[in-house]
């Protein structure tokens, strides 16, 4: 019974962290030779990979261990009772949304999933739309799947199961035969058996995808994170975020990231985005989570570095992945919004968050 209990404790953590068995110094760089690169500096060579063929972060090597994982999962959570008594859920728009309208929109579906339309092109980010064995929504989808619009592009930031969900991607593939999938290097090997011959483009950091619309540019940009899905695929696919530029909008989608200088690099390379979709949750205990998930206060600092116009929080309130109460990240952001050098937008599920 004890072994079964321990396994149950570890399962959520296995979605978040990996065990690094060996390390070798960086020996090579890689990118997609078929995509254009907008380099952050004159000496940019591409994505660094080590001697094991594992992708690396730019500034902070990712370091974790089984010992740290066990320490977290077997330690007492000082906020356990607070989590159990806080039964709040994310606010949901009481209105439905008319997807037949022609307006641009950014609509939060929960966690890191957004429906986005700019200049008539529709995107979905990191869709986790269907509960699976280990991830159960604490806040419902704002509208049923049958009401979803037709989607042109699926943006997958990395291969973790709370961002890259098999059932959701299969459903989207079936419903959108002309769907194109934009992601990072190596992710196609994870999803290619789930989709129905849809085009997949894999990019390295600071590379722009080949799109049919000359007025639309999407760059894959760095984050401080890691990748793992199975026992032997540590860091074999890339992680990152997206920078969407159109005639009327510029939108930065962070993906998963710890704090770091890459936010300044993104701004200096691509400019300051108007809308910044910033992760703020799954950050406690910070001694363990800081390498992969940014805290609310650090997210404010990152937004200020980006010099964005609108701060839209995400990655909280939908799934129980860490020690803090589900809505604590929003409480901290709201309390400290005077420190935000821009406008804070409360991300109500199902509501168009674009400011007109």
């Amino acid at each position: 019974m004890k072994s079964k209990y321990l396994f149950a404790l570890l399962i959520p953590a296995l979605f978040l962290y990996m065990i690094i068995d060996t390390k070798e110094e960086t020996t090579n760089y890689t990118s997609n030779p078929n995509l254009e690169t907008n380099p952050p500096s004159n000496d940019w060579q591409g994505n660094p990979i080590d001697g094991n063929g594992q992708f690396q972060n730019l500034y902070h090597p990712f370091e974790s261990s089984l010992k740290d994982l066990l320490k977290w999962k077997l330690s007492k959570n000082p906020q356990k009772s607070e989590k159990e008594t806080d039964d709040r859920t994310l606010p949901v728009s009481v209105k439905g949304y008319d997807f037949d309208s022609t307006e641009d929109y950014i609509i939060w579906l929960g966690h890191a999933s957004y429906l986005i339309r700019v200049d008539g092109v529709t995107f979905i980010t990191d869709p986790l739309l269907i509960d699976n064995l280990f991830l159960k929504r604490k806040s419902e989808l704002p509208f049923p799947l049958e009401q979803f619009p037709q989607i042109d592009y699926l943006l997958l930031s990395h291969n973790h199961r709370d961002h890259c969900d098999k059932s959701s991607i299969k459903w989207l593939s079936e419903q959108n035969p002309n769907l194109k999938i934009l992601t990072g290097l190596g992710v196609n090997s994870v999803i290619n058996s789930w989709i129905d011959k849809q085009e997949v483009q894999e990019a390295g950091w600071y590379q722009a995808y080949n799109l049919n619309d000359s007025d639309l540019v999407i760059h894959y940009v760095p984050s401080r994170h890691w990748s793992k899905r199975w026992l032997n695929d540590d860091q074999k696919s890339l992680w990152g975020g997206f920078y969407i530029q159109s005639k009327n909008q510029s939108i930065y989608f962070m993906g998963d990231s710890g704090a770091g200088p890459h936010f300044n690099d993104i701004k200096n390379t691509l400019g300051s985005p108007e809308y910044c979709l910033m992760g703020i949750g799954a950050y406690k205990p910070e001694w363990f989570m800081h390498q992969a998930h940014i805290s609310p206060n650090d997210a404010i600092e990152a937004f200020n570095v980006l010099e964005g116009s609108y701060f839209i929080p995400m990655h909280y309130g939908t799934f129980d992945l860490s020690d803090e109460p589900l809505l604590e990240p929003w409480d901290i952001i709201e309390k400290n919004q005077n420190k935000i050098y821009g406008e804070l937008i409360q991300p109500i599920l199902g509501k168009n968050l674009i400011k007109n």
Side-chain angles (χ1 to χ4, degrees):
M1 291 296 293
K2 287 185 177 180
S3 62
K4 290 183 178 179
Y5 178 69
L6 179 59
F7 181 74
L9 280 174
L10 291 176
I11 281 296
L14 291 176
F15 289 135
L16 294 173
Y17 285 88
M18 70 181 228
I19 302 163
I20 298 179
D21 297 317
T22 60
K23 302 174 192 175
E24 294 190 18
E25 293 184 1
T26 298
T27 58
N28 206 351
Y29 298 87
T30 189
S31 61
N32 185 338
N34 298 315
L35 299 182
E36 180 182 347
T37 301
N38 191 351
S41 63
N42 291 332
D43 59 356
W44 177 258
Q45 300 179 67
N47 282 92
I49 54 175
D50 68 13
N52 294 322
Q54 296 178 329
F55 289 101
Q56 303 293 296
N57 286 312
L58 293 177
Y59 297 102
H60 305 90
F62 186 88
E63 297 180 353
S64 188
S65 67
L66 180 58
K67 179 181 177 181
D68 286 344
L69 184 66
L70 291 172
K71 177 183 175 182
W72 168 40
K73 296 311 294 182
L74 297 178
S75 296
K76 182 179 179 181
N77 179 3
Q79 293 183 277
K80 179 180 178 182
S81 60
E82 186 181 351
K83 285 186 70 171
E84 292 173 347
T85 56
D86 188 351
D87 59 357
R88 294 177 298 163
T89 57
L90 293 169
V92 183
S93 174
V94 295
K95 298 180 180 179
Y97 190 80
D98 180 13
F99 288 108
D100 291 329
S101 71
T102 59
E103 68 177 0
D104 288 353
Y105 56 70
I106 299 173
I107 298 175
W108 195 32
L109 305 175
H111 202 53
S113 302
Y114 284 90
L115 283 171
I116 300 172
R117 182 164 65 195
V118 293
D119 298 345
V121 181
T122 304
F123 309 86
I124 191 167
T125 65
D126 289 359
L128 182 43
L129 312 174
I130 302 166
D131 283 355
N132 59 44
L133 182 60
F134 302 113
L135 292 167
K136 308 294 184 184
R137 294 182 70 100
K138 304 297 183 180
S139 297
E140 297 299 320
L141 277 173
F143 30 77
L145 293 179
E146 54 266 25
Q147 293 183 11
F148 273 47
Q150 284 292 294
I151 296 170
D152 300 300
Y153 292 99
L154 165 58
L155 276 52
L156 285 178
S157 66
H158 64 296
N159 75 357
H160 284 159
R161 294 172 189 266
D162 60 321
H163 293 256
C164 180
D165 176 61
K166 179 178 180 179
S167 296
S168 300
I169 292 173
K170 288 186 70 173
W171 181 84
L172 287 165
S173 174
E174 293 167 359
Q175 299 298 315
N176 300 275
N178 297 318
L179 183 73
K180 293 181 175 63
I181 301 171
L182 311 181
T183 189
L185 297 170
V187 177
N188 186 39
S189 63
V190 176
I191 65 172
N192 58 15
S193 65
W194 307 346
I195 60 178
D196 186 19
K197 300 179 181 178
Q198 277 95 353
E199 176 187 342
V200 179
Q201 291 188 42
E202 298 180 318
W205 292 332
Y206 296 111
Q207 291 199 290
Y209 298 95
N210 293 324
L211 308 178
N212 295 327
D213 190 335
S214 60
D215 293 322
L216 179 67
V217 181
I218 303 176
H219 285 93
Y220 193 60
V221 292
S223 69
R224 178 188 176 188
H225 202 57
W226 58 280
S227 69
K228 182 179 179 71
R229 199 171 177 94
W230 307 107
L231 293 176
N232 61 350
D233 64 346
D234 301 3
Q235 320 288 49
K236 293 297 186 181
S237 65
L238 192 54
W239 52 92
F242 297 93
Y243 197 119
I244 302 170
Q245 297 168 301
S246 73
K247 288 186 297 183
N248 298 314
Q249 312 289 353
S250 59
I251 302 169
Y252 167 64
F253 173 80
M254 190 184 81
D256 272 355
S257 183
H262 59 282
F263 294 108
N264 192 58
D265 292 346
I266 292 168
K267 177 197 69 177
N268 290 339
T269 305
L270 300 175
S272 295
E274 188 175 11
Y275 293 91
C276 296
L277 282 50
M278 308 292 293
I280 63 171
Y283 76 102
K284 285 185 175 178
E286 290 193 62
W287 67 264
F288 187 65
M289 295 290 193
H290 76 280
Q291 298 185 87
H293 294 151
I294 202 166
S295 70
N297 284 315
D298 284 345
I300 291 175
E301 183 176 345
F303 172 82
N304 291 340
V305 166
L306 286 163
E307 298 181 355
S309 300
Y310 301 102
F311 184 119
I312 301 179
M314 66 172 182
H315 207 273
Y316 74 98
T318 313
F319 301 102
D320 186 2
L321 298 174
S322 52
D323 282 358
E324 79 272 8
L326 288 178
L327 295 192
E328 178 186 276
W330 168 255
D331 295 338
I332 294 171
I333 291 290
E334 187 176 36
K335 180 180 178 181
N336 291 280
Q337 62 181 299
N338 63 311
K339 299 177 182 178
I340 297 174
Y341 302 154
E343 182 176 340
L344 173 64
I345 298 178
Q346 183 179 12
I348 297 171
L349 295 174
K351 179 182 179 180
N352 185 2
L353 303 176
I354 283 187
K355 305 293 285 188
N356 295 317

